[in-house]
Structure formats: structure tokens, C-alpha cells
């Protein structure tokens, strides 16, 4: 019973619970309000899209500008210069630190994330399919280099591989030369540009590392336990000194001297061009390194290599239209003093429209050139000159020029030379046995013992044949000059990569390994080569390589029962070849009924040098785009696909291709497009010599500071030619640290394109990777997730949801 006048007070526990319930109720209501507001903001964000980029006045000048590099042909520069208004120029930030720009990128990424959130289960399913076809734990075929067998291997769950070796035989204990997973620890990106053990004992390793994606490499060194244990040459260098040497700010390319005392490397200029050759003596500070060569012509790109014999360092200065080569004889050089006494020697002085490359065999330099005694050989021919007198006055023909065969480079062995090239649209190898001359091996010793008894077919080259009509081959690891076997890699659109040894004496082939692709049955898939007429006025025939699941095309591509989903891709620049090789990632599309097509358009090099040099660059560049459009139209006209079932994709210069074709035909011909790191601001980028690669690229696209090239580039430049029309669904990809196609190009493209989309256009998404450069993710699992994201975007547009 409660006394009158006494207020009832709940027990302390119940009072606390009541108060807590009240607070929670109030807090829950507040949280609910915030949740509702957040959902409303997100819906509005999805409906309205990212903010428009503010327009800021900026004039881009084309032509002669005092104090600036506007091109070597001063008399051709427009004077006075002309102006182009670029209100989005401010999106360029070389430091990658401008908060206003970064916020715009992050907003675009957030929009893409929100727009594709619904497809995450589909992305995960595609990722599982990609992973299912990858043998996660695998090893490369070992190859002999010095006294060690080297190979790389991967382990399930590890993002990067291991570079390993065994001494003497594969039965010896394994030594991990480089653990890329350890190198990547704490890094968002990792690329090992090159790695090489020092001759002759392989007791010291040099390797170059980039951890940003910007392709500026640091050369590091590591003492290898095998060399230390044997004590071969570490008596000259302690392990501590070897590991402490560090060379920053390089191109990533380097070459050891004749021993472990000396290494040669390249430095970059302000435009990210390799332009200086330096020599470093191990155990000394880099401040004491010696500059050996500087290339001031910004059109030329420095390259560094060593001949297969190991005798010569080769310094190449290469442009699109000319090059020059110097060699440095390393024979018998021991220690820093002897290396410092060796001098570079010119092979042949540079000349406009003259290209050549050099290899060494016996007492001759073997040279592939496009100009022999003043006669143009566009697809190149093989000549040779004595080592002591290498200039063109002493060049002699090895084979007569054959315009039907393109010669590209050489791999030299003691008893044979392998010629790499192209014929009838495919990569090809020819074997040539030169006259017997004393040779030097990579160890510097005479290597002519026993060669007198071998039968040689002087001045005759024999092709290596291949089992399929549509195929791809490229050189494998060939590190032993004295070997009688040439190792190469073979694959096709349906055949996984094989590692093959070809006996140079008998012609016998040995398949050492075929990459295992889990859950793949090659008999379920077919591939063909067709030809499509270009949309250009000349109607040039364009080769198409096609792969498909047989169940969707039981009678082949010539007799489709109904239009099918097609994924069409191409590159078409720099004379690069997009060959029909195997890619297990492609199976995620093929197994869903998509037909995969590669268009070998002009600007590429698939059909030889003229396909690029005469018909696909400079003032013929539009052929590239019209070839692609013609290929797409042919696929539609033949009933293989329809515009609403056709997706297209290309990266870098291939991204230029795709963005240009979207302006030309839009949604009339294409349903979806992936533009990967697209070079789409051609006009503005090519006018500015401070942007990496610009000056070098003048010999690819032309210089827009000259009237003829300015007008021509203006007529196809993707950003310049955006106009209000119906565009298909487009996914644009970029990398914040990309030095080749800077992030601001895809960003400017998307910002301008979004303002010109008509109401019936497809969705436009931009995804900028904040931790990578031009080549996407370095982590193999992250790379597959990005591939799954891209495929999910395309497949949904093609109405494939499983």
C-alpha cells in the first residue's frame, strides 16, 4: 500500500531501462531520418548524375609560340598561331593533388559504384567463372641461363608470382630469386620492369621496381645465396654493399657489363622519355655515376639491350620514322676500370625514313633495315656488315627483299639465326644457318667447337610451320647462345599456350607444356578468319578473327540462325599486332553465347609495314576508324549480330578508335562500349610538348601545330567532335597515375559527353583507378575483379544476366 502524498519511484533498474528506451527511440528516429535523407540524396544523385565540371576560360594555342617546342619543322608551323577554347583544360593536374579535381573523380567513381551496385552478385559470378578457368598454382617451363634453371611460379591465394631458380639441374634445391608478394607488401601497385642476374656467376641480381604505375623505376640489387655459398665473385663485392646500391629515377631498363662490377641504365627527361645512358660501378654512390650519352632529339626514344652473344651492349635511339644504333664492345672487360675504357661506336648515322636494328653473330653484325643502298624496302630485309666496319657502306645483302614477308628482329644462336617477322597476316619464324665463323658466347669464350661438322644451308631461310590456320606465335626464353633449340610460345583462339622447343639442326619440335585451363574443353569452341570490307572509299578487305561456342553457331559464322551478341575489339595503331592468341578470360563471354571478334584494322601491323605506315597513320588515320565501322557493319549485314546486340571495346590508342567511332555512328550501330584509358584528347595533347610522349607521337599522328595535320586531327579528335546525339551505354576507364594517357583525358571526355547525351542515350560511367597507371591492376585477383566488372557492364547491355 502506498502512503498518500508519496510519489511512486520505480526501482533503479527499471528507471534506467525506461530512460534508455526513450533515448533509443529518439536516437532511432533521428537515425531513421538520416537514413531517409541519405536515400533521397542517393536517388537524386543517381537521377541527376555527377556535377558538371565548372567551365574556366583557357585558350590552347596551335602553331608557332616563342620559347616553346612546337615541332622541328619551323617553316611548317602556323604563324600566327590559332586558338581553341578549352574550358575543361583546368582538369589537368600534373601533381595529381588538386582537391577540386580529385573530388570530381571521386564523385564519378561513387556514381559508377552506385549505378552498378545492383550487379554485384552478377560480377561475383563472373569473377568466379574467371577464377575457375585459372590454374592458380602453376609454374613456367624452366630455362637454362648460365648454370641455373630459372622459372616463375604462382601459388593459389597469392596476388603475385615468384621468380625462382635451381643450380645445375631441376633436382637441386629451389632458390627464390624474387618474391613479388614480399615486394608488394604495403603497396597498392607493383611492377617489376626488368630483372637480371649479373654475369658470369649469377651471384648478384638487379631488378627495377615501380610502385605507383607512373613507370618511373628504381633499380635495386640483391645478393643471391647460391653465389654467396659458392663464393664465385662475391669476394669482390660483399653482400652488404650489393644490397645497399640503389638507383632511383630510371626507365626501368638496364644492362649488366661483362661482370658484376658495372651496370648501365637509362634516365628519364622531364617528358618521361628515356634520354640518357649512365654507367654505375657497384659499391659506389650514384653521384659518381658516369654519363655516357645524351639524346637531345625529343622524337627519339632510347633503348638499351645486349646482343644474344653477350658481347655487345646495344644503344638504340628509335623514332617512328628513323633510328640510330651504337654498340659498346664488352668482350673480356673485367672490373670498373676496364669497363670505363670501353667506348660507344656508331653503326650508322640516323637519316629520315631509315630504320634498322642490330644483332651480333660471329664476326658480323646482322642488320634488319628498310633501306638498302638507297632502295626502300618497306617490309625490311636482312643485311650484314663486319663488326669492325659496321656502317652502311659495308652492308651486304643476305636475302633479296621480298615485299610479301616482313622481317622484324632476330634471335641469334651459335649455329643459327632465327628471323622473326610476318607473312600472310600472321607472325612467322624462319631459320637461317649463316656461314661458319668463330662466335663468342655470353661467357666471352670461343664457341666454334664442333660447328665444322654441321650441315649449313647458306643464304636460305626455312619457315617453322604451325598446326592451325588461325594462330599466334612469339619468342620464348632463349638465354643460352650455345643451345641447339629455339624456344617459342604457340597458341590460337581455341588452343591454350604451348611452350615448344624447335631443334635448329633437325627441325624437330618438342611440346614442353600446354597451359592447363581448368574446366575447358577446346572441342566445344570454334574459330575462323573472315574478311570484311572497310567503310573507307577503297573498301579494303579487313581480316577478322572470330571465336565462338559451337552450340551457338553449329554451321559456322557464315550461317547464323539469328543475330547473336557480339563483342568486337581492335587496336589499330603504332604498327602493333592484335594477334589471335588464347585468353582464358574470354571464356566468361563465350560460355554465355557471346561471339568474340578481333578486327585487324589498318594502323596495326598484322598485314605488314604498309598496313601501318602507308594506310593507317598520319593523313590516312581515318582508315583505322572506317575499317572498324566497316567490320561492324559487315557483321550486321551478314546476320551474325544486330546493332542492339553489338558491344565494342578498345584500350589506349584502341580507346581513341572506340571514342572516334562512337562519334561517327553512336547508338545506330553499337549497343555498348568499353573505352579503356582512351587517348581521346588528341588535338590538345599533341600540341603540348610538355606532356609525356607528345613529341615522340608527332611521328605517329602528325603535329597539330602544322596546318595540314591540325585540320585533319581536328576532324576526328573524339573530344573535339562530340555532338548531341544518341550514344550507346559507355564505360570509360582510366588510371590516376597513367603517364601515357593522363587521367584528365577520360575525365574531360566524360564531362563533355555527359552534356551532349540525348534523352534516349545509354548510361555513361567513368571509373578511375586511384592506385594504378596505364596497365590496370598489378594484383592478379584485383585484375580479374576489374575484368568481371567490365564484362558485367557489357553483358547487361546485351540482356545477358546470368
Amino acid at each position: 500500500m502506498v502512503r498518500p502524498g508519496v510519489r511512486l519511484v520505480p526501482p533503479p533498474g527499471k528507471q534506467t531501462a525506461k530512460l534508455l528506451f526513450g533515448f533509443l527511440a529518439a536516437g532511432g528516429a533521428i537515425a531513421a531520418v538520416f537514413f531517409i535523407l541519405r536515400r533521397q540524396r542517393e536517388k537524386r544523385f543517381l537521377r541527376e548524375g555527377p556535377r558538371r565540371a565548372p567551365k574556366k576560360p583557357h585558350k590552347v594555342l596551335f602553331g608557332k609560340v616563342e620559347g616553346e617546342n612546337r615541332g622541328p619543322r619551323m617553316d611548317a608551323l602556323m604563324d600566327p598561331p590559332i586558338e581553341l577554347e578549352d574550358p575543361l583544360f583546368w582538369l589537368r593536374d600534373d601533381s595529381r593533388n588538386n582537391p577540386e579535381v580529385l573530388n570530381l573523380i571521386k564523385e564519378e567513381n561513387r556514381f559508377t559504384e552506385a549505378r552498378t551496385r545492383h550487379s554485384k552478385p552478377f560480377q561475383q559470378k563472373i569473377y568466379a567463372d574467371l577464377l575457375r578457368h585459372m590454374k592458380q598454382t602453376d609454374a613456367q617451363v624452366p630455362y637454362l641461363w648460365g648454370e641455373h634453371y630459372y622459372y616463375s611460379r604462382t601459388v593459389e591465394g597469392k596476388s603475385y608470382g615468384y621468380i625462382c631458380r635451381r643450380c645445375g639441374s631441376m633436382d637441386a634445391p629451389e632458390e627464390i630469386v624474387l618474391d613479388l608478394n614480399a615486394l608488394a607488401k604495403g603497396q597498392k601497385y607493383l611492377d617489376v620492369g626488368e630483372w637480371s642476374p649479373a654475369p658470369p656467376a649469377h651471384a648478384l641480381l638487379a631488378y627495377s621496381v615501380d610502385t605507383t604505375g607512373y613507370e618511373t623505376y628504381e633499380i635495386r640489387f640483391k645478393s643471391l645465396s647460391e653465389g654467396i655459398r659458392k663464393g664465385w665473385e662475391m669476394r669482390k663485392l660483399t653482400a652488404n654493399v650489393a644490397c645497399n646500391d640503389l638507383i632511383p629515377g630510371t626507365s626501368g631498363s638496364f644492362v649488366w657489363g661483362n661482370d658484376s662490377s658495372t651496370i648501365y641504365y637509362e634516365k628519364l627527361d622531364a617528358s618521361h622519355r628515356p634520354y640518357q645512358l649512365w654507367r654505375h660501378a657497384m659499391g659506389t654512390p650514384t653521384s659518381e655515376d658516369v654519363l655516357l650519352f645524351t639524346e637531345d632529339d625529343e622524337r627519339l626514344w632510347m633503348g638499351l639491350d645486349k646482343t644474344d652473344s653477350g658481347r655487345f651492349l646495344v644503344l638504340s635511339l628509335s623514332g617512328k620514322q628513323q633510328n640510330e644504333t651504337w654498340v659498346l664492345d664488352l668482350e673480356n672487360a673485367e672490373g670498373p676500370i676496364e669497363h670505363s675504357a670501353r667506348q660507344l661506336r656508331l653503326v650508322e648515322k640516323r637519316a629520315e625514313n631509315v630504320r634498322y636494328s642490330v644483332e651480333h653473330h660471329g664476326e658480323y653484325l646482322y642488320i634488319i633495315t628498310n633501306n638498302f643502298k638507297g632502295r626502300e624496302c618497306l617490309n625490311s630485309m636482312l643485311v650484314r656488315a663486319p663488326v669492325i666496319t659496321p656502317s652502311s657502306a659495308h652492308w651486304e645483302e643476305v636475302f633479296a627483299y621480298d615485299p610479301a614477308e616482313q622481317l622484324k628482329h632476330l634471335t641469334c644462336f651459335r649455329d643459327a639465326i632465327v628471323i622473326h617477322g610476318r607473312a600472310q597476316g600472321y607472325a612467322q619464324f624462319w631459320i637461317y644457318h649463316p656461314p661458319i665463323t668463330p662466335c663468342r658466347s655470353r661467357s666471352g669464350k670461343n664457341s666454334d667447337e664442333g660447328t665444322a661438322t654441321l650441315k649449313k644451308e647458306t643464304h636460305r631461310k626455312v619457315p617453322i610451320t604451325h598446326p592451325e590456320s588461325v594462330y599466334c606465335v612469339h619468342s620464348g626464353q632463349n638465354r643460352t647462345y650455345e643451345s641447339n633449340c629455339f624456344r617459342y610460345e604457340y597458341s590460337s583462339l581455341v588452343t591454350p599456350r604451348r611452350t615448344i622447343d624447335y631443334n635448329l639442326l633437325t627441325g624437330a619440335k618438342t611440346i614442353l607444356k600446354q597451359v592447363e585451363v581448368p574446366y575447358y574443353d577446346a572441342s566445344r569452341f570454334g574459330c575462323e578468319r573472315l574478311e570484311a570490307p572497310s567503310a573507307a572509299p577503297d573498301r579494303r578487305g579487313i581480316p577478322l578473327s572470330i571465336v565462338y561456342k559451337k552450340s551457338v553457331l553449329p554451321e559456322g559464322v557464315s550461317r547464323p540462325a539469328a543475330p547473336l551478341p557480339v563483342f568486337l575489339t581492335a587496336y589499330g595503331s603504332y604498327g602493333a599486332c592484335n594477334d589471335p592468341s588464347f585468353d582464358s578470360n574470354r571464356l566468361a563471354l563465350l560460355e554465355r553465347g557471346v561471339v568474340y571478334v578481333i578486327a585487324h584494322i589498318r594502323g596495326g601491323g598484322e598485314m605488314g609495314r604498309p598496313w601501318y605506315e602507308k594506310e593507317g597513320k598520319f593523313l590516312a588515320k581515318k582508315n583505322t576508324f572506317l575499317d572498324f565501322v566497316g567490320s561492324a557493319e559487315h557483321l550486321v549485314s551478314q546476320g551474325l549480330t544486330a546493332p542492339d546486340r553489338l558491344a565494342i571495346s578498345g584500350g589506349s590508342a584502341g580507346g581513341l578508335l572506340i571514342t572516334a567511332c562512337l562519334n561517327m555512328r553512336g547508338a545506330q550501330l553499337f549497343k555498348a562500349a568499353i573505352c579503356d584509358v582512351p587517348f581521346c584528347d588528341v588535338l590538345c595533347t599533341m600540341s603540348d610538348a610538355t606532356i609525356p610522349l607528345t613529341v615522340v607521337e608527332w611521328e605517329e599522328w602528325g603535329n597539330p601545330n602544322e596546318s595540314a595535320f591540325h585540320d585533319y586531327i581536328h576532324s576526328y579528335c573524339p573530344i573535339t567532335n562530340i555532338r548531341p546525339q544518341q550514344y550507346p551505354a559507355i564505360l570509360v576507364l582510366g588510371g590516376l597515375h597513367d603517364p601515357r594517357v593522363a587521367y584528365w583525358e577520360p575525365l574531360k571526355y566524360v564531362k563533355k559527353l555527359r552534356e551532349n547525351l540525348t534523352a534516349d542515350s545509354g548510361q555513361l560511367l567513368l571509373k578511375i583507378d586511384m592506385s594504378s597507371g596505364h596497365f590496370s591492376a598489378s594484383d592478379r585477383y584485383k585484375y580479374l575483379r576489374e575484368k568481371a566488372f567490365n564484362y558485367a557492364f557489357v553483358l547487361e547491355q546485351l540482356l545477358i544476366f546470368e
Side-chain angles (χ1 to χ4, degrees):
M1 182 174 178
V2 180
R3 296 179 183 178
V6 178
R7 185 162 57 93
L8 182 64
V9 179
K14 292 183 179 180
Q15 184 179 22
T16 302
K18 185 176 180 180
L19 290 171
L20 182 60
F21 178 79
F23 283 128
L24 287 174
I30 294 171
V33 170
F34 276 114
F35 176 76
I36 293 170
L37 290 174
R38 186 169 64 250
R39 288 293 301 273
Q40 289 177 341
R41 284 196 303 269
E42 183 172 308
K43 287 181 179 179
R44 186 168 61 250
F45 180 52
L46 287 173
R47 183 174 63 253
E48 298 176 358
R51 293 168 296 157
R52 291 190 175 191
K55 304 291 179 61
K56 301 183 181 182
H58 182 87
K59 294 186 184 301
V60 179
L61 297 178
F62 298 88
K64 185 177 181 180
V65 178
E66 292 299 328
E68 294 185 16
N69 179 9
R70 290 285 166 154
R73 302 195 303 174
M74 298 298 294
D75 58 334
L77 299 179
M78 292 182 289
D79 190 11
I82 63 173
E83 297 178 348
L84 176 70
E85 188 66 33
D86 183 6
L88 296 179
F89 181 88
W90 70 274
L91 294 175
R92 172 182 173 180
D93 171 33
D94 293 317
S95 71
R96 274 79 172 168
N97 291 322
N98 184 326
E100 188 177 5
V101 174
L102 291 176
N103 285 337
L104 285 176
I105 294 174
K106 291 174 182 176
E107 188 177 75
E108 289 283 353
N109 283 346
R110 186 163 61 87
F111 179 70
T112 298
E113 166 65 23
R115 276 285 191 177
T116 58
R117 189 174 297 132
H118 70 279
S119 71
K120 283 190 178 296
F122 189 28
Q123 294 175 36
Q124 183 59 36
K125 190 174 189 307
I126 296 172
Y127 174 75
D129 290 342
L130 295 171
L131 206 59
R132 188 168 68 100
H133 291 304
M134 179 173 72
K135 189 178 181 184
Q136 298 182 60
T137 298
D138 203 0
Q140 178 193 40
V141 176
Y143 55 94
L144 184 63
W145 191 359
E147 296 189 17
H148 295 82
Y149 287 90
Y150 288 85
Y151 56 97
S152 62
R153 59 180 177 85
T154 55
V155 174
E156 183 173 349
K158 297 293 185 181
S159 297
Y160 298 89
Y162 300 85
I163 299 170
C164 309
R165 71 178 188 182
R166 298 174 191 263
C167 186
S169 78
M170 285 302 292
D171 294 327
E174 179 183 84
E175 177 184 5
I176 296 179
V177 175
L178 272 183
D179 178 353
L180 273 63
N181 295 283
L183 291 176
K185 190 174 183 180
Q187 306 291 343
K188 294 181 179 179
Y189 180 89
L190 176 76
D191 179 50
V192 174
E194 294 184 4
W195 63 271
S196 177
H202 292 210
L204 182 62
L205 181 78
Y207 60 100
S208 56
V209 174
D210 169 27
T211 56
T212 68
Y214 196 65
E215 299 178 51
T216 300
Y217 291 82
E218 179 180 80
I219 300 176
R220 304 175 185 176
F221 300 88
K222 176 184 177 182
S223 299
L224 299 179
S225 60
E226 197 69 34
I228 295 173
R229 185 165 66 248
K230 291 192 174 185
W232 276 332
E233 56 184 273
M234 296 311 291
R235 62 184 182 276
K236 297 181 180 178
L237 290 169
T238 67
N240 185 50
V241 169
C243 290
N244 285 341
D245 282 56
L246 197 71
I247 307 175
T250 80
S251 70
S253 181
F254 61 85
V255 167
W256 284 106
N258 196 48
D259 60 19
S260 63
S261 69
T262 305
I263 195 167
Y264 302 85
Y265 65 93
E266 300 168 341
K267 281 189 177 180
L268 303 166
D269 67 7
S271 297
H272 218 70
R273 175 183 66 102
Y275 81 120
Q276 287 183 335
L277 174 64
W278 290 76
R279 185 180 66 238
H280 173 73
M282 295 301 298
T284 66
T286 54
S287 59
E288 297 179 9
D289 290 358
V290 179
L291 174 62
L292 301 180
F293 194 99
T294 298
E295 179 50 62
D296 293 320
D297 188 337
E298 295 181 66
R299 296 174 299 168
L300 300 182
W301 190 278
M302 182 176 288
L304 195 57
D305 206 349
K306 191 182 275 190
T307 58
D308 293 323
S309 65
R311 178 175 168 181
F312 292 97
L313 175 149
V314 179
L315 175 69
S316 59
L317 308 162
S318 302
K320 301 292 190 300
Q321 300 295 108
Q322 61 176 310
N323 72 286
E324 181 176 280
T325 300
W326 297 68
V327 294
L328 190 149
D329 195 342
L330 298 170
E331 187 173 35
N332 299 324
E334 292 187 9
I337 295 176
E338 286 192 19
H339 279 86
S340 66
R342 303 300 171 94
Q343 301 295 316
L344 287 165
R345 184 170 45 161
L346 177 64
V347 175
E348 175 64 19
K349 187 177 180 179
R350 69 191 70 176
E352 287 292 333
N353 299 315
V354 176
R355 303 182 312 277
Y356 67 95
S357 61
V358 172
E359 252 298 344
H360 166 245
H361 187 276
E363 297 309 314
Y364 288 90
L365 294 181
Y366 281 80
I367 300 163
I368 290 179
T369 181
N370 72 329
N371 191 293
F372 179 59
K373 299 190 182 302
R375 176 163 54 96
E376 183 183 63
C377 313
L378 199 57
N379 266 334
S380 298
M381 63 181 293
L382 182 63
V383 301
R384 72 176 188 176
V387 165
I388 57 174
T389 54
S391 68
S392 63
H394 303 278
W395 291 2
E396 61 176 340
E397 178 182 289
V398 177
F399 302 111
Y401 175 60
D402 183 350
E405 297 175 348
Q406 182 187 17
L407 308 188
K408 303 189 77 171
H409 60 96
L410 307 172
T411 299
C412 290
F413 297 89
R414 180 188 64 183
D415 297 314
I417 296 175
V418 180
I419 305 168
H420 303 242
R422 300 191 72 84
Q424 299 178 336
Y426 296 94
Q428 183 59 63
F429 303 127
W430 294 272
I431 310 302
Y432 165 57
H433 291 285
I436 302 171
T437 59
C439 303
R440 298 282 182 178
S441 70
R442 284 193 171 108
S443 64
K445 299 177 182 178
N446 281 327
S447 306
D448 55 341
E449 183 180 354
T451 59
T453 61
L454 300 175
K455 294 181 180 179
K456 302 292 188 290
E457 297 178 63
T458 304
H459 299 294
R460 177 171 176 260
K461 63 184 193 291
V462 178
I464 296 179
T465 59
H466 307 290
E468 295 170 279
S469 59
V470 180
Y471 68 91
C472 171
V473 290
H474 61 87
S475 182
Q477 293 285 356
N478 293 283
R479 298 288 188 172
T480 303
Y481 186 68
E482 296 81 7
S483 176
N484 287 328
C485 286
F486 167 62
R487 181 166 296 180
Y488 67 94
E489 310 281 350
Y490 172 93
S491 72
S492 76
L493 291 170
V494 296
T495 303
R497 188 178 74 251
R498 295 171 179 170
T499 301
I500 300 172
D501 270 358
Y502 178 90
N503 191 298
L504 296 167
L505 305 180
T506 67
K509 299 176 189 174
T510 303
I511 299 175
L512 303 176
K513 178 179 180 176
Q514 178 168 300
V515 171
E516 182 182 340
V517 180
Y519 306 103
Y520 172 66
D521 178 2
S523 67
R524 296 175 55 236
F525 300 88
C527 66
E528 299 179 35
R529 174 70 68 97
L530 299 183
E531 190 173 275
S534 172
D538 63 2
R539 305 296 288 172
R540 198 82 146 93
I542 307 304
L544 304 178
S545 296
I546 305 177
V547 60
Y548 54 89
K549 189 165 65 171
K550 289 180 179 178
S551 61
V552 303
L553 283 169
E555 298 186 64
V557 297
S558 62
R559 301 187 67 182
L564 295 167
V566 165
F567 188 92
L568 173 64
T569 184
Y571 186 73
S573 290
Y574 305 108
C577 300
N578 194 358
D579 280 324
S581 60
F582 186 84
D583 181 2
S584 64
N585 294 333
R586 203 179 287 145
L587 295 173
L589 297 176
L590 299 179
E591 289 173 338
R592 289 173 168 82
V594 177
V595 178
Y596 193 99
V597 183
I598 304 170
H600 304 289
I601 55 182
R602 284 177 286 186
E606 289 92 335
M607 304 303 291
R609 184 78 183 186
W611 198 246
Y612 158 64
E613 187 169 313
K614 297 297 186 183
E615 301 183 50
K617 65 181 293 192
F618 284 148
L619 299 178
K621 190 61 202 172
K622 288 183 185 177
N623 283 341
T624 301
F625 317 134
L626 293 169
D627 289 355
F628 190 79
V629 168
S631 299
E633 290 175 335
H634 182 73
L635 295 173
V636 172
S637 68
Q638 296 301 301
L640 186 62
T641 191
D644 63 350
R645 309 222 73 190
L646 177 57
I648 58 176
S649 175
S652 193
L656 160 62
L657 164 73
I658 300 303
T659 50
C661 291
L662 289 173
N663 285 338
M664 295 167 64
R665 297 300 304 273
Q668 296 175 10
L669 187 57
F670 311 116
K671 178 63 176 177
I674 296 178
C675 308
D676 192 2
V677 290
F679 176 41
C680 52
D681 197 13
V682 187
L683 194 63
C684 289
T685 294
M686 294 309 299
S687 72
D688 189 347
T690 66
I691 296 177
L693 302 181
T694 290
V695 176
V696 176
E697 300 286 276
W698 282 338
E699 294 187 342
E700 177 71 25
W701 315 99
N703 182 357
N705 294 299
E706 300 176 11
S707 178
F709 287 120
H710 175 275
D711 295 345
Y712 189 77
I713 295 172
H714 190 287
S715 71
Y716 71 75
C717 175
I719 284 183
T720 307
N721 287 277
I722 289 173
R723 57 188 170 86
Q725 66 168 320
Q726 183 187 5
Y727 284 88
I730 303 171
L731 172 62
V732 182
L733 306 170
L736 182 64
H737 301 287
D738 189 342
R740 299 178 183 233
V741 178
Y743 75 85
W744 55 80
E745 295 207 32
L747 180 59
K748 285 172 66 175
Y749 174 76
V750 166
K751 289 301 185 183
K752 184 174 181 180
L753 182 58
R754 191 168 277 127
E755 296 178 4
N756 286 272
L757 297 177
T758 57
D760 52 357
S761 292
Q763 64 177 332
L764 173 61
L765 302 178
L766 173 65
K767 187 179 183 184
I768 300 285
D769 191 319
M770 307 299 282
S771 61
S772 73
H774 193 66
F775 299 104
S776 186
S778 58
D779 178 319
R780 62 176 179 155
Y781 293 111
K782 181 182 177 183
Y783 175 80
L784 289 186
R785 290 197 179 279
E786 291 181 352
K787 184 69 72 174
F789 177 89
N790 299 347
Y791 282 176
F793 173 84
V794 165
L795 289 169
E796 282 196 344
Q797 299 303 319
L798 300 178
L799 304 181
I800 299 172
F801 302 103
E802 294 184 358

